[in-house]
Amino acid sequence: MIDVLVVDDDFRVAEINAKYVGKVPGFRVAARAHSAAQALASVQRGTIDLVLLDHYLPDQTGLELVHRMREQGHGTDVIMVTAAGDVTTVQAAMRLGALHYLVKPFTFAALRTRLDSYAALRRTVDRVGGRGIAGQEQVDRIFSALRTTPAPASPGLPSGHSEPTTDLICRVLHHAAHPLSAHEVAAETGLSRSTAQRYLRHLEQAGRLRLSLRYGDTGRPEHRYAWVAP
């Protein structure tokens, strides 16, 4: 079993992520942490294989925590799971050795894809490691093990809906400061208004969005959608 430390300052999000991890064969949640100090203490105990790490923590950033781990000699693997989507943070995570970077909000399928590729990496390293010295072919196998393919459409999606488009719309609504109309979502995502409306209707029916009506002086009320926190 691969022991995972789930780190997120939001207790509800940590619970959701832990449940996701528990659904993937071969993985189990060994501990949860809601601050960098708690996370470092768990890593120092030496029982953690993988850290699912949020960047925005109350006492330090996730990347500062990774830097401290490396300074102390902890080679524990890290997958960033965070709302921080700026290129600077992504590059810094790569330089510190993060194996994957998953931007919130994400689906279970997206996380499972990363965990499965991580498990494949460990299996590959174990096989190659027994030989002592790796040739180019073995090195290529190690690096290719981390490559992920787009997750297939979820069985729960209606015909004609795709997981990437669903994720895109969810990210836009998750970060919006106020409810958005289908027209505004279309403008933010580059989708047509009819496509955005179709996805919004499905997400609202699935309980992932909240629908409200805004009445103007004339005509039909405008439908506006807001993200519903898990």
Side-chain angles (χ1 to χ4, degrees):
M1 296 292 289
I2 296 173
D3 287 325
V4 180
L5 169 64
V6 175
V7 184
D8 201 293
D9 66 322
D10 189 317
F11 284 73
R12 295 173 300 171
V13 173
E15 176 68 20
I16 293 169
N17 291 348
K19 288 181 179 179
Y20 279 174
V21 171
K23 292 168 64 175
V24 181
F27 291 82
R28 66 186 174 193
V29 176
R32 300 173 199 173
H34 308 293
S35 69
Q38 292 176 355
L40 185 60
S42 294
V43 170
Q44 289 171 336
R45 285 193 283 270
T47 59
I48 303 299
D49 299 308
L50 174 66
V51 181
L52 293 188
L53 181 60
D54 187 18
H55 182 58
Y56 298 118
L57 299 173
D59 48 350
Q60 279 188 314
T61 67
L63 294 186
E64 288 172 339
L65 169 61
V66 178
H67 185 69
R68 287 185 63 192
M69 288 166 50
R70 302 306 183 232
E71 282 187 330
Q72 295 182 14
H74 300 296
T76 311
D77 293 321
V78 174
I79 293 178
M80 298 298 295
V81 179
T82 176
D86 59 284
V87 175
T88 300
T89 303
V90 174
Q91 288 181 322
M94 293 174 62
R95 289 165 182 156
L96 286 170
L99 299 178
H100 281 298
Y101 198 106
L102 195 55
V103 180
K104 297 177 181 178
F106 55 87
T107 63
F108 167 66
L111 177 59
R112 176 164 186 167
T113 298
R114 274 71 178 179
L115 293 180
D116 284 342
S117 75
Y118 173 72
L121 170 67
R122 288 173 61 97
R123 290 192 298 269
T124 302
V125 171
D126 287 344
R127 287 197 298 268
V128 174
R131 303 173 185 173
I133 299 176
Q136 187 62 53
E137 180 181 352
Q138 287 74 37
V139 171
D140 289 344
R141 287 180 185 175
I142 292 173
F143 276 85
S144 64
L146 272 179
R147 295 175 187 162
T148 60
T149 55
S154 168
L157 289 177
S159 176
H161 287 60
S162 74
E163 196 80 39
T165 302
T166 300
D167 289 346
L168 175 61
I169 291 177
C170 286
R171 283 198 297 272
V172 168
L173 269 298
H174 180 72
H175 294 296
H178 52 77
L180 301 179
S181 67
H183 176 76
E184 291 170 324
V185 171
E188 289 284 341
T189 59
L191 300 170
S192 68
R193 186 185 182 283
S194 60
T195 298
Q197 182 65 63
R198 184 157 47 89
Y199 277 83
L200 290 167
R201 187 180 303 112
H202 166 69
L203 291 168
E204 187 267 327
Q205 291 172 350
R208 298 174 70 179
L209 301 179
R210 181 177 64 254
L211 171 65
S212 60
L213 302 178
R214 187 169 75 176
Y215 291 88
D217 296 332
T218 60
R220 297 183 349 184
E222 181 182 50
H223 289 202
R224 301 183 68 80
Y225 299 87
W227 177 255
V228 176

